[in-house]
Amino acid sequence: MAVGCGPSIAKFLLFIFNIVFWLGGAAFIGIGIWFLVADENTAILEIVGGASDSDDLLTIAAGVIIAVGCLIFFIGFFGCCGAIKENKCMLGSYFVLLLIILLAEVAAGILGVVYRNEITEYMDDEIPESIQSYYGAEDWGSFTEAWDWMQVNEKCCGYTGSVDYTGNAYLMSQNQLLPRSCCKMTEGSSWESQNVGYTPIDEIKCYAGEPDYFEATGCSTRIVDWIDKNIWVIAGVAFTIAILQIFGMVLACCLCKNTDRDAGVV
C-alpha cells in the first residue's frame, strides 16, 4: 500500500484521468455511430466506396473508429483497477497498452499526412470511372442514391462535372445524357427520397444536356472538403487523447514506482 500525500495524489489523478479517458472512448464510439447514421456521411462514403469497388467501406470505417473507442474503454478499466488496487502488473500492462495506442496514433497521423495527396489523386482518377460504370447499375442502388442525394443537395453534377456521365450504360438505355438529380430544380425542391421531393425546371432539356438546365459544377470540392473536415475532427479527438495518454503513462509510472518503494513498509 502506497503511503504519503504524493502517491495518494497520483492514485487520485490516475483514477480521474481514466474517467476522462473513458469519455474520449465514448467520443470515438459516437463518431463511429454518427458515420453510420448521418445522411451526408453515408452518401459520401458510399461514393468513395464505389470508387474502390467496396460496398463495405462505410461499415469498415465506422467499425474501426468504434473499435478504437471500445479499446480505450478496456484500457481505462485496466488503469482504474490498477490505481485502486495499486497492482504493479495491471499498472505495467496499462502503461504498455497506452504506449502501443500512442505509437499507432503517431504512425496513423504520419501516414495520413504522407498519403493525403495520393488519396486525392486516387479519387480524381477512380470516382469518375465509378460513375460511368456503376451509376444506375443493378446491385448498385445505394451508390446511385448516394450520388442523387449529393447532386440534389449540393447542386452539383458528377465528380469533375457532367462529363463524368458520358458513356454511362444506364443513362444511354434511357436516352439521357444526364441523371435527373443533375438537373436545375424548381424553387423549394429538396431531397426526400429517390426521385421524390425535387422537381427539375425542364427534364427534357436537362436530359438532352442543354447547359442552362443542369448544374455545371462538379461535386469534387464538396467531397474533398468533407473528407478534410472529418479528418480534422478525428485528428483533434486523437490528439487530445494522445496528450491524455502521455499524462496517464507518467502517473502510472509514478504510482508503480511508489508501489515498489513502499513494498517494504510495514
Side-chain angles (χ1 to χ4, degrees), residues 34-47 58 142 146 226:
W34 175 63
F35 264 49
L36 286 171
V37 300
D39 288 341
E40 180 184 27
N41 303 337
T42 302
I44 292 179
L45 288 171
E46 284 285 356
I47 288 168
L58 171 63
S142 296
W226 179 90

Side-chain angles (χ1 to χ4, degrees), residues 206-250:
C206 171
Y207 294 162
E210 294 193 22
D212 291 337
Y213 295 92
F214 69 86
E215 302 292 347
T217 305
C219 302
S220 59
T221 300
R222 183 68 190 90
I223 294 172
V224 172
D225 285 348
W226 179 90
I227 292 173
D228 285 341
K229 179 186 72 175
N230 285 282
I231 284 175
W232 281 112
V233 169
I234 295 171
V237 174
F239 178 77
T240 302
I241 290 177
I243 297 299
L244 291 173
Q245 284 172 266
I246 295 171
F247 183 62
M249 290 164 67
V250 171

Side-chain angles (χ1 to χ4, degrees), residues 74-221:
F74 174 74
I75 294 173
F77 169 78
F78 253 85
C80 279
C81 290
I84 292 171
K85 295 180 179 294
E86 297 180 17
N87 184 294
K88 183 179 177 182
C89 181
M90 295 189 77
L91 287 170
S93 298
Y94 174 71
F95 178 89
V96 170
L97 288 170
L98 283 180
L99 180 61
I100 291 172
I101 294 294
L102 181 62
L103 293 175
E105 287 170 347
V106 171
I110 292 172
L111 288 173
V113 171
V114 170
Y115 290 104
R116 170 66 180 79
N117 291 334
E118 282 80 353
I119 292 171
T120 303
E121 290 173 5
Y122 172 83
M123 287 171 32
D124 289 344
D125 292 337
E126 298 297 326
I127 291 182
E129 290 184 15
S130 70
I131 293 173
Q132 293 175 1
S133 301
Y134 304 131
Y135 183 89
E138 189 176 355
D139 298 327
W140 285 85
S142 296
F143 176 78
T144 301
E145 185 171 352
W147 267 112
D148 287 341
W149 184 94
M150 172 64 66
Q151 290 170 159
V152 170
N153 283 282
E154 298 300 329
K155 294 181 172 56
C156 55
C157 182
Y159 186 71
T160 59
S162 59
V163 67
D164 292 342
Y165 286 100
T166 302
N168 177 272
Y170 169 74
L171 293 176
M172 290 173 67
S173 71
Q174 302 296 310
N175 294 316
Q176 297 176 212
L177 293 179
L178 298 171
R180 187 169 186 260
S181 55
C182 273
C183 299
K184 289 186 176 180
M185 304 296 169
T186 57
E187 187 175 351
S189 289
S190 62
W191 172 273
E192 292 179 14
S193 62
Q194 191 75 3
N195 292 326
V196 177
Y198 54 98
T199 306
I201 294 174
D202 191 318
E203 284 185 73
I204 303 302
K205 292 181 178 179
C206 171
Y207 294 162
E210 294 193 22
D212 291 337
Y213 295 92
F214 69 86
E215 302 292 347
T217 305
C219 302
S220 59
T221 300

